[in-house]
Amino acid sequence: KLRSIYFDISKFAAYGQLSGIDLNKIRLGATVDLDEYEKDNPRDFTLLKRSKLSELKRGIFVQTDWGNVRPSWHIQCAAMAMAHLGESYDIHSAGRELMFPHHENEIAIAGSLTGKPLARYWVHCDRVLVDNKKMEDIGSDLSITHLMEAGYTGREIRYWLITAHYRKPVHYSLSRLENARRALTRIDACVNRLKGVSEGETGAEVDQLVYDIKQGFVGAMDDDLNTSAAIASIFKQIKIINKLIAEGKIDASGAAQVLEIFRSIDTVLNFFELGGKSRDKGVAKLIAERESARRDGVWQRADNIRKELSRRGVVVQDGKIDPNVAESDGRD
């Protein structure tokens, strides 16, 4: 119509299956497109839009049999994906708000062209909220760069982001980032203890421990990529690891097995620090002694050990992790 090309969604039987939208309930006169276009059926979406004079002057057009047009967002995305990934690929991910109509339109374009599904799996994530509001609603320009300039590492930011399930909103606050920092400190302390193990004995407990770490992680990730549950499982096992080390029930070989399973898990999570040996084999011993002193209420001793750890470049942070943010803590 008027040298623009539209897609008749009534010709594509699978339209609406991704989002579950009831096409019969779409109000006549409403548009499902992301631009204001004239069309015979308000439910039909644009494939190629006739270029305006201002666009023609700037060279924003493609010559076709129907005239000079520009491609819609929908056909651009489908074309780029198919050009680089083929007619059908495994996973398409994006924000939840794009499921309808944008992704429905991509599916219709590709499916009509090839007869194949554009993607086997569609993964839609939720957004980051500030004070329970969308960032664009409050004019926030929060970015990863801003957080790093505020002193948070990419590792800490990553941990904070994946403590929530991808289909749930992530709530931003400095206290939540601090909780992520403390959680990583606990993980690092456990890793350093394992690296520092030189004496002990390894029995069936370690084999069971390695099995439980792997199964807890795999089971959670198989449950719709439940990173929150996966991290909670890791913290549960960290408590067991610390207990076994304190009781001398892990030797160097057993510690290496645990570190290896952590290394395997980290190919997905990517927030462990496992490279190289511990800088000081005495660090793990000092951390254990400090924790023992704190449990026994010998605060002066604990404080002295903290100062010694600081002298060696090891920062120890105490404090309970907010379960509303880092529910992965695994504490009772």
Side-chain angles (χ1 to χ4, degrees):
K1 180 179 180 180
L2 299 177
R3 294 188 178 179
S4 293
I5 311 299
Y6 302 96
F7 188 106
D8 181 354
I9 62 176
S10 68
K11 301 292 181 66
F12 189 71
Y15 195 90
Q17 288 185 2
L18 177 68
S19 62
I21 192 76
D22 185 349
L23 299 182
N24 294 321
K25 293 183 179 180
I26 294 179
R27 181 171 57 85
L28 291 178
T31 176
V32 297
D33 210 342
L34 301 183
D35 288 304
E36 293 298 327
Y37 296 138
E38 290 184 43
K39 47 186 84 65
D40 289 327
N41 185 333
R43 296 179 301 180
D44 294 343
F45 65 86
T46 307
L47 289 173
L48 302 169
K49 177 63 178 176
R50 179 172 60 91
S51 292
K52 300 176 183 177
L53 180 60
S54 60
E55 293 169 337
L56 293 172
K57 290 180 178 179
R58 288 181 290 161
I60 305 175
F61 66 89
V62 177
Q63 291 182 335
T64 72
D65 293 341
W66 304 284
N68 296 326
V69 299
R70 61 178 175 85
S72 69
W73 182 29
H74 317 300
I75 202 169
Q76 287 181 51
C77 288
M80 288 188 290
M82 294 170 69
H84 293 286
L85 302 175
E87 292 183 347
S88 186
Y89 48 90
D90 285 335
I91 302 173
H92 187 304
S93 64
R96 187 179 64 179
E97 66 275 11
L98 299 181
M99 185 183 301
F100 179 83
H102 182 49
H103 292 160
E104 291 284 9
N105 295 350
E106 281 190 80
I107 291 170
I109 291 168
S112 298
L113 181 65
T114 68
K116 301 176 182 178
L118 182 62
R120 294 178 61 209
Y121 299 97
W122 292 77
V123 180
H124 294 93
C125 67
D126 214 312
R127 60 178 69 231
V128 175
L129 300 180
V130 179
D131 296 326
N132 291 316
K133 298 178 181 177
K134 300 176 183 178
M135 289 196 289
E136 60 266 32
D137 291 345
I138 59 176
S140 173
D141 60 351
L142 178 70
S143 70
I144 289 177
T145 300
H146 293 147
L147 296 182
M148 296 186 77
E149 289 175 348
Y152 295 99
T153 65
R155 178 176 174 241
E156 290 165 344
I157 297 167
R158 177 179 174 82
Y159 180 92
W160 160 61
L161 288 171
I162 64 176
T163 52
H165 191 279
Y166 75 89
R167 286 192 290 105
K168 294 181 179 180
V170 180
H171 295 273
Y172 165 77
S173 71
L174 291 179
S175 64
R176 293 170 189 269
L177 282 164
E178 288 297 324
N179 287 332
R181 176 172 287 175
R182 286 195 289 269
L184 287 172
T185 297
R186 288 186 61 203
I187 293 173
D188 292 346
C190 179
V191 168
N192 281 327
R193 291 188 192 100
L194 287 165
K195 289 181 179 180
V197 170
S198 58
E199 297 180 356
E201 55 183 51
T202 295
E205 294 97 335
V206 173
D207 291 338
Q208 184 65 45
L209 174 66
V210 170
Y211 176 83
D212 290 343
I213 293 172
K214 179 179 180 180
Q215 292 305 116
F217 176 76
V218 171
M221 296 301 288
D222 281 352
D223 181 19
D224 193 19
L225 303 178
N226 194 339
T227 52
S228 178
I231 295 172
S233 174
I234 290 170
F235 274 101
K236 178 181 178 181
Q237 299 307 320
I238 281 176
K239 294 172 75 173
I240 297 173
I241 292 168
N242 291 337
K243 184 174 183 292
L244 292 176
I245 292 175
E247 294 174 352
K249 293 183 178 179
I250 296 183
D251 62 9
S253 175
Q257 290 182 57
V258 177
L259 288 171
E260 186 57 35
I261 194 65
F262 279 163
R263 187 168 285 105
S264 176
I265 287 172
D266 200 46
T267 60
V268 177
L269 297 179
N270 196 26
F271 58 60
F272 280 82
E273 284 195 341
L274 297 163
K277 298 288 185 180
S278 176
R279 289 172 297 175
D280 188 336
K281 290 185 178 180
V283 167
K285 183 178 179 181
L286 285 172
I287 291 174
E289 289 179 2
R290 181 174 179 273
E291 291 184 351
S292 177
R294 293 181 73 238
R295 283 195 301 270
D296 296 339
V298 187
W299 304 113
Q300 186 60 49
R301 169 66 175 158
D303 191 49
N304 290 339
I305 295 175
R306 183 190 184 101
K307 291 177 180 177
E308 173 61 19
L309 288 168
S310 179
R311 186 185 68 78
R312 300 190 188 196
V314 178
V315 178
V316 181
Q317 292 179 307
D318 301 314
K320 196 164 186 176
I321 298 173
D322 184 351
N324 294 320
V325 180
E327 57 189 4
S328 54
D329 183 290
R331 297 183 182 187
D332 295 331

